[in-house]
Amino acid sequence: MRVLVVRHGETHWNRERRMQGWAPSQLTEAGQEQARVTGERLAAEYDISHIYASDLTRTRETTALIRESVAAAVTFDAAWRERDLGVYQGLTYDDITERFPEFSLQRAGLEAAAKVPDGGESIVQVRERVLGGWQELTANGHDDDTVLVVSHGGPLYLLLGHLQGHDIVESYMRMNLQNCAVSEIAVEDGDARVVRENETPY
């Protein structure tokens, strides 16, 4: 089984470096073009049998644009959502680092990963949710399947990091997934291996 994972296209809040969480942020014109080109490249390289996607606005929009080229059915699944940031949604990354260092992985490490913002969820909880979605996806797949997951930076950091043996902090700090970056995971006999990571097709 082959699993392709793609981050959504650029949004206006990405440009402003705002933490989006579950906000209904929309793609910029550049983000729309990223998604279209990604769909074209994926269609040229792979025979995708199904798409699983976060049900948030920016991933729905990205998925619709990818499906202009990729003729596969889609299942929207909340397991692949970005972290619910609660009261901190909309703040910039600098706001978090400077005003709320207890929630900054750079400042507080694993302690920050376990902290739950008011009305939101911790990174630890997100990891459990995403890995649950991953287990369900792989359990229902077949050896010759190629499936696509359209998600967000946070969930994909956690998934790719987990598959490569990194802890939560390392998973976030070791890479910066670009918008519409493609990573590829090979799954064989229950063993998952990252074979391609963070490649942009545009």
Side-chain angles (χ1 to χ4, degrees):
M1 182 181 187
R2 177 189 288 119
V3 182
L4 306 168
V5 297
V6 174
R7 187 185 175 201
H8 61 78
E10 181 195 64
T11 68
H12 295 282
W13 278 21
N14 284 150
R15 285 189 176 179
E16 297 171 6
R17 290 186 47 78
R18 293 192 181 279
M19 301 179 68
Q20 298 176 95
W22 291 4
S25 53
Q26 297 181 322
L27 302 188
T28 61
E29 289 187 10
Q32 293 171 6
E33 182 63 16
Q34 290 166 354
R36 286 193 184 94
V37 171
T38 299
E40 292 168 1
R41 296 290 179 85
L42 290 175
E45 292 183 37
Y46 302 98
D47 182 15
I48 295 171
S49 55
H50 199 87
I51 301 172
Y52 295 88
S54 159
D55 59 352
L56 297 178
T57 300
R58 56 196 182 274
T59 36
R60 284 183 178 274
E61 189 176 355
T62 300
T63 300
L65 293 166
I66 287 174
R67 291 183 73 219
E68 291 179 359
S69 299
V70 176
V74 59
T75 299
F76 291 103
D77 187 345
W80 295 103
R81 286 183 177 187
E82 183 57 277
R83 178 187 182 187
D84 182 357
L85 294 163
V87 297
Y88 299 110
Q89 181 173 288
L91 295 180
T92 67
Y93 291 96
D94 289 342
D95 286 335
I96 291 294
T97 301
E98 295 170 9
R99 296 169 54 194
F100 308 102
E102 67 272 21
F103 285 97
S104 169
L105 289 175
Q106 291 176 314
R107 294 282 188 90
L110 289 174
E111 290 184 8
K115 289 194 71 67
V116 181
D118 291 344
E121 58 186 341
S122 71
I123 297 175
V124 171
Q125 291 169 326
V126 176
R127 184 178 184 273
E128 292 171 354
R129 166 164 60 77
V130 169
L131 294 184
W134 171 253
Q135 290 169 0
E136 183 175 353
L137 184 157
T138 54
N140 293 331
H142 302 285
D143 289 345
D144 58 350
D145 283 347
T146 296
V147 301
L148 172 65
V149 175
V150 182
S151 187
H152 309 263
L156 296 182
Y157 292 142
L158 293 167
L159 174 63
L160 295 169
H162 167 75
L163 296 179
Q164 296 175 86
H166 301 297
D167 66 23
I168 288 176
V169 176
E170 290 172 326
S171 296
Y172 270 83
M173 297 303 178
R174 59 180 283 275
M175 65 185 300
N176 178 26
L177 277 178
Q178 302 300 307
N179 292 109
C180 280
V182 178
S183 299
E184 181 178 338
I185 304 163
V187 182
E188 186 175 359
D189 297 326
D191 180 53
R193 180 171 53 91
V194 179
V195 297
R196 177 183 177 191
E197 188 175 61
N198 199 21
E199 294 185 8
T200 51
Y202 50 86

